[in-house]
Amino acid sequence: MASSSRTDAAATDPDPAPTRPTDTPAPIAVPSPRYLLHHLLDRRDTPRGTASPVMDGTAAAPAAKAEAKLVSGEAGYVLEDVPHVSDYLPDLPTYPNPLQDNPAYSVVKQYFVDPDDTVCQKIVVHKGGSRGNHFRRAGPRQRVYFESDEVHACIVTCGGLCPGLNTVIREIVCGLSDMYGVSKILGIQGGYRGFYARNTINLTPKNVNDIHKRGGTILGSSRGGHDTTKIVDSIQYRGINQVYVIGGDGSQRGAGVIFEEVRRRGLKVAVAGIPKTIDNDIPVIDKSFGFDSAVEEAQRAINAAHVEAGSAENGIGLVKLMGRYSGFIAHYATLASRDVDCCLIPESPFYLEGEGGLFKFIEKRLKENGHMVIVVAEGAGQKLIAENMKQMGQDASGNALLLDVGLWLSQKINEHFKKNKTTINLKYIDPTYMIRAIPSNASDNVYCTLLAHSVVHGAMAGYTGFTVGQVNGRHCYIPFYKITEKQNKVSITDRMWARLLSSTNQPSFLSKQDVEDAKAEDERAAKLLDGSPSNHKA
Ligand SMILES: Nc1ncnc2c1ncn2[C@@H]1O[C@H](COP(=O)(O)OP(=O)(O)OP(=O)(O)O)[C@@H](O)[C@H]1O
Ligand SMILES: O=P(O)(O)OC[C@H]1O[C@](O)(CO)[C@@H](O)[C@@H]1O
Ligand SMILES: [Mg+2]
């Protein structure tokens, strides 16, 4: 059951002061939040530090039972707010934000974010329409919940690699140090299991100075190994009070579970996520860091495929790009290149034989141009392949291990033309790991910097259980459940996919039913934007 607490108040902030302070004494006790938090733990049932996991008075509740913190306003306005440490520790002292004395920031016109600022998820509105969902705007708050020398932060990177990981690590370290004077920052090595099974390293602005020039993550990463109790034991034992998790949907789910356990134990620990996914499959946010770098790097493989194909009789260049469930890299790389004749993605089923099928299209293109380029996302055509081959199982995090669509497609195309007694020259290029391992490009570096600084401001202000993200060009704090309840997918009923179809002139491969299903899915997504509480669950 999706339960939620909704109050009819303006957006509230645990720090109600809107402007730069003149001379504010520190520390002071803040008032309890004005909104009702029915959803939060009843602290009489779960005294601080006890191990009772009971949220609903019955059996041990799943740790990730995050529930919405909703504030509604006029004209269908809904704020999907993020948790705050003061929700379950109401009497914490606050301190003036050290940024107010920082010469670099003193010329900024509006120094601190207004506590009532929120960012709308639905940017296109109709006159008289509902204002829909909003998120709390990211940025520095006038008062913070941690003193500089009290902070003991840690950073962990989980899941697959992505350009920009090192930049985010660098900028969290430098942001904490330069803006907030924090010096205790631990790097957890090797992903989640590193909390309890590996060494840690001390991170300083000096030792992270040039890491953004390198691909990968200096901390290492892994899949699987999320043992919540051991992780939170380690956090508690080491005295860590800010946890920064850089990772994809799985990692953000893991961060959500850590947050729930931290809250259940009543610890003053901010748990914050920075969404990482080369596939761009995280919903709500405009795009994930590293995605642009990946699209740019994919051009090199597509160019090579084009050169190879154009230099041979009936040349076919086939390029496989990453995209387990979402074909954004293939989609954008195709649109950017204009050398691609056909792009295949997981969201759009295709077939090989018969009228309107891939083979007929290849025959047509070879006849017209003498060569062609096909880009295929790794998750495309998996159903089709599974009919031919047997499934390969799951990785350590429970993600499906995919069958190699590139090899399979190469074999099928070769067999088809051999049967038709036509000579073709097919060159298959798989640049996937080469793309994933590059350092981020210049624009991603700037993007990573802003994300890292925004997440630091949020944690220092006492927000927790949130992911930072850019929504309609503005940075905001988004509750974990919002970005893990579904995946971002290429919408094949959207104008952007139509642009691709019109640029490649490939068949759409879709049946009437496929189109109807896609439209129904889009409608469901549009309704969610209208402020209906998300149907999130553990
Ligand atoms: N539901 C979950 N609860 C707790 N931990 C999880 C959950 N799902 C995944 N994790 C943990 O998160 C980490 C990363 O997950 P995963 O391997 O799926 O990568 P990801 O973060 O989704 O990144 P990407 O898919 O972009 O490579 C793993 O250590 C995994 O154990
Ligand atoms: O081989 P690994 O490291 O498990 O990662 C492969 C997967 O990671 C991703 O890049 C997501 O991070 C997917 O596109 C791909 O399927
Ligand atoms: Mg994932």
Side-chain angles (χ1 to χ4, degrees), residues 462-490:
Y463 292 110
T464 180
F466 75 92
T467 288
V468 68
Q470 183 176 290
V471 177
N472 298 317
R474 293 296 180 145
H475 284 239
C476 45
Y477 302 137
I478 306 165
F480 281 135
Y481 67 81
K482 206 58 198 167
I483 58 154
T484 55
E485 64 189 359
K486 69 192 258 288
Q487 271 170 330
N488 190 29
K489 302 234 181 217
V490 173

Side-chain angles (χ1 to χ4, degrees), residues 160-161 223 276 278-279 322-324 378 395 402 433 436:
L161 296 185
R223 300 195 188 274
K276 172 247 39 147
I278 200 167
D279 295 351
M322 274 186 172
R324 204 199 293 267
E378 63 175 332
D395 70 13
L402 302 181
Y433 289 107
R436 210 170 71 162

Side-chain angles (χ1 to χ4, degrees), residues 449-470:
T449 302
L450 296 185
L451 284 172
H453 290 190
S454 293
V455 80
V456 164
H457 291 313
M460 288 300 298
Y463 292 110
T464 180
F466 75 92
T467 288
V468 68
Q470 183 176 290

Side-chain angles (χ1 to χ4, degrees), residues 223 248-251 253 276-277 279 281 324-325 399 487:
R223 300 195 188 274
D249 55 339
S251 309
R253 262 182 223 110
K276 172 247 39 147
T277 154
D279 295 351
D281 58 4
R324 204 199 293 267
Y325 306 111
N399 302 301
Q487 271 170 330

Side-chain angles (χ1 to χ4, degrees), residues 475-536:
H475 284 239
C476 45
Y477 302 137
I478 306 165
F480 281 135
Y481 67 81
K482 206 58 198 167
I483 58 154
T484 55
E485 64 189 359
K486 69 192 258 288
Q487 271 170 330
N488 190 29
K489 302 234 181 217
V490 173
S491 165
I492 54 172
T493 59
D494 187 279
R495 262 191 224 108
M496 211 52 185
W497 184 244
R499 276 185 193 106
L500 178 138
L501 294 180
S502 114
S503 88
T504 58
N505 249 319
Q506 69 189 67
S508 92
F509 302 110
L510 297 176
S511 67
K512 216 167 146 233
Q513 188 59 48
D514 290 332
V515 175
E516 269 163 26
D517 289 351
K519 281 188 177 156
E521 181 53 39
D522 284 353
E523 254 166 49
R524 262 197 299 278
K527 273 203 190 115
L528 273 182
L529 284 182
D530 275 332
S532 9
S534 310
N535 186 24
H536 62 277

